Amino acid sequence: MHIHKGSLYWPSTLQAPERLAPSEKKDTYDVVIVGGGMSGALTAFELIQQGLDVAVFDKRQVATGSTSANTGLLQYSNDIMLHELIEQIGEKNAVEFYRLCLQAMEDLHGVAKKLTIDPEFIYRESIYYASDEHDEARILEEFKTLKKHGFPCDYWNREMLLEKTGIDKPCAIITYGDAEVNPYAFVNGIFKAFEDYGGHIFEYTEVQDIKEDNDMLLIKTSTGDLHAKDVIFTTGYETLPVGERIGADINRSYVIVTEPLDSMPPWYNSAMIWESKRPYLYMRTTVDHRIVIGGLDEPEGEMPLSSERITERGEELKNEIQKLFPELDINIAFAYCATFGESLDNIPFIGEHPQKEHLYYLLGYGGNGTVYSMIGAKILADLLTGKHNPSAHIVALDRTLELEMDGKTVVQ
């Protein structure tokens, strides 16, 4: 499955460190992680710091899958608003999930500070504006809910939003404690630190099968067999080597990155910007004064057959941002299409397989994938070291999905 197509920006910002295969593959590891993207990197780094012997396998070079197409917006708010998530899973679990996301922001910053490769982690505010008058009440309700539960945010009416950002929309929530990152540098930096701790990375090595072998798991790969006590799949939007994808849709989105601007964009504090309608437009800046703009999601997982489609959608994204900022003169430098996954209840899948012991998953489906990856790394570290995690049930693979479809509640 091809998970991106077009010209990617992030790989142009860093020459990935030369990574040689470990001189000797061990016969047995505590944990084998399948997938060398953001989820795999954060999980591997968390586990090796807990004293576990960890190996990571990827069928390509690490950080070149969905990581290369990740737009690097890190936010505690989610694609589903908190007040709507409360209606879906109850106040206690919904608020706890949002608090996990807020804590993950601090945890990601903690990881970034340990790296020798600069991941360009910068704290930013986020501006979440109402796309039209129909969403004004939803935005206000969300602000009240966030404020009630102690989440850092403010509310701007149309006048304040226009004055501070130049955006002429009904209102917006401003959230604090969010951040931007260079995802490609971040993952490469994490894996360098992981190797410094003694971790093993096997690139261009495909995991082909996993079988029980006495009290261990036998892992058959394209370069030989080995054993592990536990296996974690951090395969993102790829086809899973074992089992089936549950409760998720795979879609595609479009992104453009501009040529560097002479000065930073005209909006408030180089904040990250997104909107209430679905699919939504979102944007951020980079350290070299570019703008990253994404959106125009389509309900298909496969990449478009024609590059012209990417060019056309790129021009549409350019037009969308110029509707918000008519005075902005931008030129497209990079344009691409990328696959992304969304769980049906807007929550990631993290935990042990319901029927198969010692097989774990971290599938961070949703617009908050990096934050979900950090949450998952912490939860899995607890589960694999025998610690109780009080939040694990919220994201468990065997949770009941209760969804509203055509006016009826459907349980999956």
Side-chain angles (χ1 to χ4, degrees):
M1 179 179 180
H2 297 290
I3 55 178
H4 51 66
K5 182 177 181 178
S7 54
L8 299 172
Y9 167 62
W10 297 118
S12 74
T13 67
L14 173 77
Q15 175 149 3
E18 184 178 355
R19 186 171 290 111
L20 301 176
S23 57
E24 185 175 338
K25 183 193 298 179
K26 297 181 181 179
D27 293 330
T28 303
Y29 292 88
D30 292 326
V31 184
V32 161
I33 295 174
V34 184
M38 186 68 73
S39 295
L42 287 167
T43 304
F45 192 46
E46 185 67 29
L47 292 176
I48 204 165
Q49 290 178 96
Q50 300 276 345
L52 298 179
D53 193 10
V54 184
V56 177
F57 288 80
D58 197 298
K59 65 182 181 181
R60 55 172 73 88
Q61 186 179 359
V62 301
T64 58
S66 58
T67 296
S68 294
N70 184 328
T71 48
L73 286 79
L74 311 179
Q75 299 165 308
Y76 74 78
S77 289
N78 287 259
D79 285 1
I80 183 170
M81 295 186 186
L82 176 58
H83 74 273
E84 294 171 343
L85 188 59
I86 287 172
E87 295 177 1
Q88 180 176 289
I89 65 173
E91 184 173 68
K92 180 181 179 181
N93 285 340
V95 172
E96 174 62 18
F97 181 66
Y98 257 63
R99 286 180 179 152
L100 289 174
C101 292
L102 185 60
Q103 178 60 48
M105 295 302 307
E106 292 186 29
D107 294 336
L108 287 164
H109 185 221
V111 172
K113 290 192 296 184
K114 295 178 180 179
L115 307 183
T116 56
I117 295 176
D118 180 10
E120 298 167 6
F121 184 104
I122 303 171
Y123 276 116
R124 298 285 192 201
E125 294 102 328
S126 290
I127 300 170
Y128 185 35
Y129 68 82
S131 303
D132 53 40
E133 284 72 13
H134 297 294
D135 281 342
E136 189 171 2
R138 289 178 63 232
I139 289 288
L140 181 57
E141 178 67 19
E142 180 66 359
F143 166 71
K144 290 178 179 178
T145 305
L146 290 171
K147 208 68 177 174
K148 171 186 174 182
H149 294 286
F151 292 97
C153 61
D154 280 322
Y155 178 83
W156 290 351
N157 60 21
R158 183 185 291 270
E159 290 73 21
M160 295 175 66
L161 182 61
L162 184 60
E163 176 187 349
K164 290 181 177 291
T165 70
I167 298 174
D168 188 12
K169 293 292 181 179
C171 61
I173 298 171
I174 314 306
T175 54
Y176 303 99
D178 296 335
E180 66 182 42
V181 75
N182 177 331
Y184 187 73
F186 197 29
V187 170
N188 274 290
I190 295 168
F191 274 132
K192 183 177 186 305
F194 169 72
E195 288 181 304
D196 290 343
Y197 269 86
H200 286 180
I201 300 173
F202 298 92
E203 297 180 314
Y204 306 105
T205 304
E206 189 165 4
V207 172
Q208 298 169 328
D209 197 9
I210 297 174
K211 298 180 178 179
E212 294 182 4
D213 187 14
N214 295 321
D215 59 346
M216 300 291 286
L217 294 174
L218 172 64
I219 302 146
K220 304 185 78 65
T221 81
S222 56
T223 59
D225 299 349
L226 66 149
H227 288 83
K229 179 182 177 183
D230 298 293
V231 173
I232 302 174
F233 294 103
T234 57
T235 46
Y237 316 133
E238 302 271 9
T239 301
L240 298 180
V242 176
E244 297 178 355
R245 184 181 286 114
I246 57 173
D249 287 328
I250 305 300
N251 306 305
R252 68 189 187 196
S253 188
Y254 295 86
V255 177
I256 60 171
V257 183
T258 70
E259 296 284 0
L261 304 179
D262 292 335
S263 59
M264 291 305 284
W267 65 76
Y268 175 81
N269 281 358
S270 297
M272 299 179 294
I273 299 173
W274 58 312
E275 63 174 330
S276 59
K277 76 175 183 179
R278 297 293 184 270
Y280 56 86
L281 183 75
Y282 57 94
M283 63 199 75
R284 55 159 289 191
T285 59
T286 67
V287 295
D288 59 346
H289 294 194
R290 300 175 190 266
I291 304 174
V292 180
I293 309 127
L296 305 179
D297 302 350
E298 297 172 340
E300 299 177 57
E302 295 297 327
M303 291 297 98
L305 296 176
S306 169
S307 297
E308 283 75 16
R309 178 67 174 172
I310 297 174
T311 301
E312 291 168 2
R313 296 301 253 174
E315 288 296 328
E316 290 180 48
L317 287 171
K318 178 182 176 182
N319 291 338
E320 287 296 321
I321 191 175
Q322 289 184 316
K323 289 178 186 176
L324 282 181
F325 303 105
E327 75 284 8
L328 200 56
D329 183 20
I330 58 174
N331 294 297
I332 299 173
F334 301 86
Y336 61 89
C337 179
T339 294
F340 72 97
E342 294 180 300
S343 66
L344 300 183
D345 62 355
N346 298 282
I347 295 174
F349 290 101
I350 301 166
E352 190 172 20
H353 191 289
Q355 286 86 40
K356 298 178 181 179
E357 292 184 348
H358 304 293
L359 290 184
Y360 295 82
Y361 294 80
L362 198 177
L363 305 175
Y365 296 147
N368 235 3
T370 300
V371 171
Y372 295 166
S373 296
M374 188 73 255
I375 292 171
K378 293 289 185 180
I379 289 176
L380 291 175
D382 284 349
L383 296 180
L384 269 65
T385 56
K387 299 172 187 172
H388 172 67
N389 188 291
S391 305
H393 68 284
I394 300 174
V395 295
L397 275 68
D398 58 353
R399 65 182 183 266
T400 300
L401 305 183
E402 295 189 12
L403 310 165
E404 289 293 327
M405 300 177 70
D406 299 325
K408 298 179 181 179
T409 300
V410 178
V411 178
Q412 296 191 356

